[in-house]
Amino acid sequence: MDEVLKDASIKRILNKNTDITRIDVKGEKKNFAGISERELTKRYNVKGVPTLIFFNSMRKEILRIPGVLTKPDFKDILCKYVDGLKAGCIAR
């Protein structure tokens, strides 16, 4: 998914409305709340990589994308299912 997330059109959609955090599912690095990457993996029930999880401002999960997608498929999902990102999808 690295290449998809680096694509300029995808970055335009994501950069306006999201913060992206990458975690190592086996890592011990702790976040601002002192929770390790491994603990986050368990807390959010991540079963495989890559897994992208989108949360709203209330920290409620609104979309989970497990596995690798093509750029067009990823963009379609973002534009269809994530309300805050739809504005960035108009000029596709």
Side-chain angles (χ1 to χ4, degrees):
M1 288 297 295
D2 284 339
E3 290 303 313
V4 172
L5 293 171
K6 289 177 185 175
D7 179 81
S9 64
I10 299 293
K11 286 173 88 170
R12 268 194 304 278
I13 295 168
L14 293 175
N15 285 342
K16 291 181 181 180
N17 302 294
T18 62
D19 293 318
I20 297 176
T21 302
R22 180 180 295 238
I23 66 166
D24 175 353
V25 296
K26 296 179 182 178
E28 293 302 326
K29 182 178 170 188
K30 298 197 184 263
N31 70 3
F32 66 93
I35 301 169
S36 75
E37 294 169 309
R38 186 182 304 227
E39 291 172 50
L40 283 172
T41 300
K42 289 179 186 175
R43 179 177 288 183
Y44 292 107
N45 200 27
V46 174
K47 299 292 185 191
V49 292
T51 297
L52 294 138
I53 305 172
F54 291 82
F55 299 91
N56 65 14
S57 60
M58 305 299 288
R59 296 187 182 170
K60 179 182 178 212
E61 184 176 323
I62 57 172
L63 177 64
R64 178 178 293 247
I65 303 172
V68 177
L69 294 175
T70 64
K71 182 179 75 169
D73 289 343
F74 184 67
K75 195 172 189 179
D76 286 345
I77 287 171
L78 291 178
C79 294
K80 184 173 182 180
Y81 293 106
V82 184
D83 286 334
L85 302 180
K86 288 180 182 175
C89 297
I90 294 170
R92 300 189 334 159

